[in-house]
Amino acid sequence: MSIELNPAAVKFAQRLIEEGKLKNDEGHWGQHNPNTKVENDYLDQHEIAEYGQWHLGLDMSKGEDIKGRYHFPYGDFQTVHRDGLIAAKERAAQQGYKDIEKAADELLQQLEKQVAS
């Protein structure tokens, strides 16, 4: 499985951070990461492309209309989470996806600057 960076998700996350739609949470991403029910409820009301914007990685071997195409979530379908970006960065580093790791790190830095200002 080869996962590529999702440029649309990066731009979407940048815009959300600029708009202040973020959570500078401390803790573990597992506490905030939407579960399957929340994901499915979101998909009942939104297009799969909107769902994809919440994920920094794309598995190009899967169809665009399949949830399994989207990897490295960073938010809760409302806000960008600091711990979500940290988790995405760490998992991407562990799995050797340097471009996703770099994008998550840059988004994390943007979020931290936004919080500090």
Side-chain angles (χ1 to χ4, degrees), residues 10-92:
V10 174
K11 288 180 182 170
F12 183 66
Q14 288 170 334
R15 191 177 83 232
L16 290 171
I17 293 168
E18 288 169 7
E19 294 173 358
K21 295 178 181 173
L22 54 91
K23 294 220 172 129
N24 189 27
D25 35 22
E26 302 286 330
H28 194 267
W29 176 228
Q31 299 168 321
H32 308 114
N33 188 5
N35 61 33
T36 302
K37 181 185 180 330
V38 172
E39 290 179 341
N40 290 338
D41 289 347
Y42 184 84
L43 281 168
D44 285 343
Q45 299 176 23
H46 298 87
E47 299 292 325
I48 191 84
E50 292 174 85
Y51 174 83
Q53 290 181 326
W54 290 97
H55 298 80
L56 295 176
L58 296 172
D59 180 348
M60 301 306 280
S61 71
K62 305 231 168 121
E64 292 180 19
D65 58 343
I66 297 173
K67 274 176 47 177
R69 176 183 178 99
Y70 304 100
H71 298 269
F72 301 101
Y74 62 83
D76 61 8
F77 303 120
Q78 295 176 16
T79 56
V80 177
H81 282 255
R82 179 179 180 272
D83 58 0
L85 291 171
I86 291 170
K89 177 183 170 183
E90 289 174 351
R91 284 189 307 114

Side-chain angles (χ1 to χ4, degrees), residues 72 85-105:
F72 301 101
L85 291 171
I86 291 170
K89 177 183 170 183
E90 289 174 351
R91 284 189 307 114
Q94 291 167 349
Q95 296 174 22
Y97 298 115
K98 298 290 183 198
D99 53 346
I100 296 170
E101 176 188 3
K102 182 177 185 269
D105 184 56

